[in-house]
Amino acid sequence: MRSVSNPPDYSRRQEEERTGVEIASKVLGKNNKPGHAPFYTGDSPGFGAVFDICSPSEQPLSRHIMLTSKTSASLSPEDKAYLQYKGVFNMPRKETCDELLQAYFHHVHPIMPHLKAETWQSEGFSSRKAMKETMYSRAKCLHNNGGETDHTVLLQSALLLGFYHSEADTYTQPWFWLGVAISLCQTMGLHRFSAAVCASSPITESQQRLWRRLWWTCFFRDRWLSLTMGRPLRININDCNTVQPSANDMLNDFAELPESITAAYVPKDLPQLAEYWVMIIQLTQLLGESLTLCYQPFGNTSSFQQVEALEQKVLRFQLPEYQETGQSPLATFYLYHLQLHYQAFVITFYRPFITKDPEGLPASRQEAWRAHVRNQINAAALQTNAILDNLAHEKLLEYSGPMTPPLIVPAMHVHLLNCKSSDPVSRRLGLNKIEVCMIVLEQMQHTHPCSSVFRVLPDFASKSSPPQDDSADDPLAGITIDENAIDALMDEVSIFNFWESLNNMQT
């Protein structure tokens, strides 16, 4: 009798049935076979709640289990030919690969990416931007067509792809890839990794540390991209209880590496960079609270008591102000970058109260509160310019990453507001401070395309009416800044909307 091979649908159905049985047996503790593929059964009212009813001890069961790993899908000859055509198998020279690895562990692994000019030149690219575009195109193609099934790998690659900006996609790709990364996180249950879950979880400690870092990196990107792009927050912090990150979560990645590898690729300041990373996550939590409290257009108006409570958290946040002895330029840049995040956050927190008092603010305190708000945002904007000055004088602008240009824009909000002052000196100082920001953005635009978006202000300054005779010495005398446009401008949470609103002022 001739044998008949099973059709693809039948084999697929058998695989699904085996997976279903494995999930149930793992959750109920009847299968202790080690696995490597994370699976999250979900919480009530999801289907995972059914398992609690079946538990002999009538105690809630583990929601995080490790299933038997599935091998990556085998590619058809047609898929391989397509990937070959797209150039994803074309590797750079060994020297360039070593340089890329070193750049990753210095800049991507802790925070952001960076490449030396000699690297892209040796590979035959016309610019750093051209090399980034080609590498991004290849990585994106491989992510979508490579047959990878490991969710952790897909999550890591989505986060990396999300650091790429280009003019061609109107700067939307970071937002798209962040959505992919957060969806993978929630599928794997990385948002529900409390201390109690960690203590009883079958997941290894090293895996838990990695997942904490991945989750909090997604959280960091969610809050700052929401501010930058004026998009809604994707992560509801009230739905999450993952353990707070620590510096050791990063440092333990390298604990067992040979010294020769560590010396070649890992920055010597990694412990300090890890501490800065933890601080920026803590600051990001405050940013999330501020965006939720003050910037949700259809939410309740924030009360003065709520604003005061959040302000106390802001005032308690300890920001490092000075460099460590012997600190490298890399670590010095990260310190400045942390400070830029902080100043941008302070302006973001106080900005709504320039034009609108919190609900319930006593009349007797209104004048003092408004003066306090103005002093706080002016101090933060002034400090931003001081940091930019340090970055320029210490030749650290080459370390800037995709997030650096947007961090400058909140200070420019404040400087532009001061250009509305009736005092000629204040107006001139405001314009001079904006000019400092523009110079820095000009230096970064060759690497980070979004910098060019933020440099439309010279057009605004050039469209002015003829100055009056009694104000010939005032360079801003001929510029008309509409008060309604400024007030609307200062209410914008989106940095991109901020620049769109300049069109209302160029009349």
Side-chain angles (χ1 to χ4, degrees), residues 269 272-273 276 327-336:
D269 293 307
Q272 191 65 55
L273 302 184
Y276 291 159
Q327 189 166 271
S328 70
L330 175 67
T332 301
F333 169 79
Y334 285 141
L335 173 58
Y336 287 142

Side-chain angles (χ1 to χ4, degrees), residues 142-153:
L142 195 58
H143 177 95
N144 292 333
N145 303 283
E148 181 60 67
T149 58
D150 189 326
H151 281 187
T152 302
V153 173

Side-chain angles (χ1 to χ4, degrees), residues 25-45:
S25 60
K26 287 263 188 180
V27 171
L28 296 174
K30 297 179 180 180
N31 182 348
N32 296 321
K33 185 178 179 181
H36 300 283
F39 183 81
Y40 178 60
T41 63
D43 285 280
S44 181

Side-chain angles (χ1 to χ4, degrees), residues 406-421:
L407 294 176
I408 303 174
V409 179
M412 298 179 72
H413 283 217
V414 181
H415 300 326
L416 188 57
L417 178 66
N418 290 332
C419 289
K420 194 183 77 169
S421 172

Side-chain angles (χ1 to χ4, degrees), residues 2-22:
R2 186 177 62 177
S3 61
V4 180
S5 60
N6 293 326
D9 287 346
Y10 177 79
S11 300
R12 199 160 41 239
R13 189 164 61 250
Q14 278 194 319
E15 178 65 25
E16 291 173 354
E17 290 175 357
R18 283 194 295 267
T19 301
V21 171
E22 184 179 6

Side-chain angles (χ1 to χ4, degrees), residues 76-182:
S76 67
E78 293 81 6
D79 289 337
K80 290 179 180 178
Y82 173 73
L83 293 174
Q84 182 72 50
Y85 172 76
K86 296 295 288 186
V88 301
F89 302 131
N90 298 340
M91 295 295 291
R93 299 177 304 113
K94 181 183 183 303
E95 294 80 3
T96 302
C97 289
D98 290 341
E99 174 72 19
L100 290 171
L101 281 172
Q102 187 184 67
Y104 170 80
F105 286 111
H106 278 68
H107 305 277
V108 181
H109 197 79
I111 305 176
M112 295 286 185
H114 167 69
L115 276 176
K116 294 180 181 178
E118 294 82 1
T119 305
W120 53 260
Q121 289 173 348
S122 65
E123 288 297 317
F125 291 98
S126 59
S127 66
R128 186 185 304 174
K129 190 185 298 184
M131 182 174 181
K132 287 167 60 177
E133 182 177 353
T134 299
M135 294 301 178
Y136 169 80
S137 177
R138 293 175 183 176
K140 178 182 176 182
C141 182
L142 195 58
H143 177 95
N144 292 333
N145 303 283
E148 181 60 67
T149 58
D150 189 326
H151 281 187
T152 302
V153 173
L154 292 172
L155 167 57
Q156 290 171 309
S157 61
L159 280 172
L160 291 174
L161 287 165
F163 278 113
Y164 178 75
H165 297 66
S166 77
E167 298 97 330
D169 58 34
T170 328
Y171 311 98
T172 59
Q173 286 301 318
W175 187 254
F176 168 79
W177 287 114
L178 175 63
V180 173
I182 291 175

Side-chain angles (χ1 to χ4, degrees), residues 351-400:
R351 192 171 66 201
F353 310 118
I354 295 175
T355 56
K356 184 178 181 181
D357 293 331
E359 190 175 280
L361 176 66
S364 60
R365 299 185 60 182
Q366 288 177 356
E367 186 175 347
W369 168 254
R370 292 166 187 168
H372 171 67
V373 167
R374 185 61 60 86
N375 289 337
Q376 291 294 96
I377 66 167
N378 279 333
L382 186 62
Q383 188 60 32
T384 297
N385 276 48
I387 296 167
L388 297 179
D389 190 66
N390 289 338
L391 287 171
H393 279 89
E394 297 176 36
K395 296 180 171 41
L396 298 175
L397 289 176
E398 65 177 17
Y399 291 104
S400 62

